[in-house]
Amino acid sequence: MIAIALPIATGCIALALLLNLWRLLRGPALGDRIVALDTMVINAIALIVLIGMIGGNDTYFEAALLLAMVGFVSTIAYCKFILRGDIVE
């Protein structure tokens, strides 16, 4: 059952990444683009975990954790830059 579910989930996540890319490029407001970029990071984490499950390699899970930390910090920094115009006070 998992052999069928993993390729389907990979396809769904890839489709979600393409739709997020469309929103990132065509978003009407800056806030939409920030949310699309953050959602792309989350979908990339899910895709990395799925690839790790398909390959059976534990290194991908560590890479997903590192991407989660970097994605969170970069989203906060980008929002702070948009609101205040400066990242470091």
Side-chain angles (χ1 to χ4, degrees), residues 13-73:
I13 296 295
L15 178 65
L17 275 170
L18 287 175
L19 291 173
N20 285 327
L21 181 65
W22 180 76
R23 177 52 62 194
L24 182 67
L25 296 175
R26 305 273 302 178
L30 191 59
D32 293 330
R33 291 187 171 121
I34 293 171
V35 171
L37 190 62
D38 189 44
T39 308
M40 282 183 75
V41 169
I42 293 169
N43 286 334
I45 292 167
L47 193 62
I48 290 171
V49 169
L50 283 173
I51 291 171
M53 289 175 69
I54 291 170
N57 194 350
D58 293 339
T59 308
Y60 289 102
F61 301 115
E62 294 174 8
L65 285 172
L66 288 173
L67 184 61
M69 290 187 291
V70 170
F72 175 73
V73 170

Side-chain angles (χ1 to χ4, degrees), residues 65-88:
L65 285 172
L66 288 173
L67 184 61
M69 290 187 291
V70 170
F72 175 73
V73 170
S74 65
T75 301
I76 296 300
Y78 192 58
C79 290
K80 189 175 178 182
F81 177 73
I82 296 301
L83 288 175
R84 297 183 183 163
D86 191 19
I87 296 173
V88 179

